Amino acid sequence: MKAKATLKQIAKELNVSVSTVSKALNDSPEISEQTKIKIKEYAKLKNYKPNVIGLNLKNRKTKTIGVIIPNILNSFFAKVFSGIEKVADKKGYNVITCISNESLEKEIHTLEMLSNGTIDGFILSVSEEAQKLQEYNHFKEIINDGTPIVMFDRIAEGVECDKVVVDDFDSALNSTQHLINLGCKNIALISSVDNLSVGKLRADGYLKALNDNNIPVNENIILRTDSEEDMKSKIDAIFDHKIDAIFALDENDSVAALRVSLKKGYKVPEDISIIGFADGILASRRLSPSLTTISQHGIEIGEVAAKRLISRLEEKEGESSDYETIVIKTKLKERESSRKSVSS
């Protein structure tokens, strides 16, 4: 295979400037037709390919969006990506997707790799490690360099950019209140996402609902962990105490809550009602009884995030709209794991 020539090499061989070569290859009217033909033929002979990254650094328009998601196995992120791709395709943008695998180092590397002119802007959800360490300088540097970022779901407080979130606090507050309205008094909390911003907001909503209803907080039935493994190793202890409901803060937590409840001999929902965050396929279709869940509208989040980024990218020179935090309302989808409302 022939080695690809560079602009500098072509300029040297033809004894012209790099600028002349670049202009000739881009059909600039400043260059004579004879010189254009000569340079183009030589470039073709030498297997020259334009440096897309170099061109992008100059004009900043690649019509490509970079998407960074923390976890490829989470159905919520898959739904968000589906929404992003739908809007991007309609607007004539390409999408490059990368997975941070919850790693700060990989998140930083991906941002640096793609922000060199490969993409026009990012849509991303912050990695677990970045949130745990509260390390967000890499986002600030990218934004300061002129590459816009739209964050969704897990966001970095203190980083000025557009954000698309769900009403995590209010969703948890309302879902816990729903269980209380069903007559539940001993509502357990199970979380494997306590190190994430969304996990903390959801736990705060649960605690606020208890406080609003003068229900004492029972630490024995509150399990707040940072990982699925830790949650699964400790969940059995919750059932050593009297509980009549479980509020789970992640899809894996809700699935574990249902399975252990059935294993312990509880009838669901007669003995215990369960509500879980995230409306994934596993939670809604493959379990018996099916889980009552809080739908985060992942596709809508993706669509809104993509529209916001593209709108910012297509602002005219000199225009700059204020950063927005757009809140998407969740919806409680009642299924078989929670009792029906108590009749008045």
Side-chain angles (χ1 to χ4, degrees):
M1 182 181 291
K2 292 187 291 184
K4 295 177 183 177
T6 64
L7 287 177
K8 186 180 289 187
Q9 288 168 343
I10 295 171
K12 184 178 179 180
E13 290 292 330
L14 298 179
N15 197 27
V16 294
S17 69
V18 172
S19 175
T20 297
V21 175
S22 178
K23 289 177 180 179
L25 293 174
N26 285 285
D27 279 322
S28 170
E30 298 176 38
I31 309 300
S32 69
E33 286 302 318
Q34 187 178 356
T35 302
K36 284 182 189 178
I37 293 169
K38 179 182 177 182
I39 290 173
K40 286 181 179 180
E41 287 182 349
Y42 188 81
K44 186 176 181 180
L45 179 68
K46 292 296 182 179
N47 196 33
Y48 170 76
K49 295 289 188 296
N51 183 343
V52 176
I53 290 176
L55 292 172
N56 290 341
L57 285 171
K58 183 179 179 182
N59 60 35
R60 300 301 299 166
K61 294 296 180 183
T62 68
K63 298 285 283 187
T64 302
I65 294 169
V67 177
I68 306 176
I69 60 177
N71 185 343
I72 197 172
L73 299 177
N74 190 311
S75 61
F76 167 70
F77 292 124
K79 289 180 179 179
V80 174
F81 176 73
S82 176
I84 293 170
E85 195 170 48
K86 178 182 176 183
V87 170
D89 185 60
K90 186 176 180 180
K91 297 282 188 177
Y93 281 75
N94 298 310
V95 177
I96 294 177
T97 311
C98 296
I99 317 297
S100 69
N101 280 330
E102 308 289 8
S103 163
L104 171 61
E105 182 181 358
K106 190 163 186 182
E107 188 172 72
I108 292 172
H109 173 72
T110 302
L111 282 167
E112 290 176 346
M113 177 183 69
L114 295 180
S115 64
N116 61 6
T118 305
I119 55 93
D120 292 339
F122 288 101
I123 299 173
L124 60 87
S125 189
V126 180
S127 68
E128 177 182 334
E129 189 176 11
Q131 287 209 321
K132 187 174 183 179
L133 298 174
Q134 293 287 291
E135 178 52 64
Y136 303 135
N137 284 335
H138 50 302
F139 300 128
K140 294 177 182 178
E141 289 171 2
I142 295 296
I143 294 167
N144 289 338
D145 284 342
T147 303
I149 291 176
V150 175
M151 295 182 178
F152 70 89
D153 190 48
R154 303 184 202 167
I155 60 174
E157 297 293 344
V159 176
E160 293 188 358
C161 66
D162 296 304
K163 296 163 184 173
V164 182
V165 297
V166 297
D167 53 340
D168 287 288
F169 177 86
D170 287 341
S171 298
L173 172 67
N174 295 335
S175 297
T176 307
Q177 184 63 54
H178 179 76
L179 290 169
I180 293 169
N181 293 344
L182 293 177
C184 302
K185 299 295 183 185
N186 300 290
I187 304 168
L189 176 83
I190 296 176
S191 172
S192 64
V193 291
D194 200 50
N195 55 330
L196 301 179
S197 57
V198 293
K200 290 181 172 64
L201 285 168
R202 294 167 190 175
D204 287 346
Y206 159 86
L207 293 170
K208 179 68 163 58
L210 297 186
N211 182 67
D212 288 349
N213 291 273
N214 297 313
I215 297 176
V217 175
N218 182 355
E219 296 293 346
N220 293 319
I221 59 173
I222 295 177
L223 177 60
R224 299 177 68 169
T225 69
D226 292 350
S227 70
E228 185 181 349
E229 292 74 23
D230 196 18
M231 177 271 295
K232 286 183 176 179
S233 70
K234 297 176 179 177
I235 190 172
D236 277 29
I238 292 288
F239 293 86
D240 293 338
H241 306 274
K242 183 181 179 181
I243 56 174
D244 52 17
I246 299 174
F247 180 45
L249 304 194
D250 180 78
E251 183 176 8
N252 292 325
D253 302 340
S254 55
V255 171
L258 177 60
R259 286 176 172 167
V260 176
S261 295
L262 296 173
K263 181 181 174 183
K264 295 285 185 180
Y266 285 84
K267 292 180 180 179
V268 180
E270 292 85 354
D271 301 330
I272 192 168
S273 289
I274 300 171
I275 294 178
F277 250 91
D279 192 33
I281 294 175
L282 181 62
S284 61
R285 300 179 192 173
R286 298 181 181 174
L287 296 176
S288 181
S290 57
L291 275 167
T292 295
T293 56
I294 299 166
S295 175
Q296 294 169 278
H297 302 299
I299 293 175
E300 183 182 352
I301 289 173
E303 291 176 349
V304 171
K307 288 175 182 176
R308 187 68 195 105
L309 179 61
I310 292 171
S311 175
R312 187 166 290 281
L313 290 173
E314 295 182 350
E315 287 176 343
K316 294 177 182 178
E317 194 170 345
E319 292 182 351
S320 183
S321 58
D322 293 336
Y323 291 125
E324 290 185 73
T325 296
I326 302 167
V327 180
I328 306 297
K329 294 293 183 181
T330 58
K331 181 180 180 181
L332 185 67
K333 291 192 174 181
E334 294 187 64
R335 299 190 181 91
E336 297 168 345
S337 71
S338 60
R339 295 195 294 274
K340 300 302 179 185
S341 298
V342 178
S343 57
S344 53

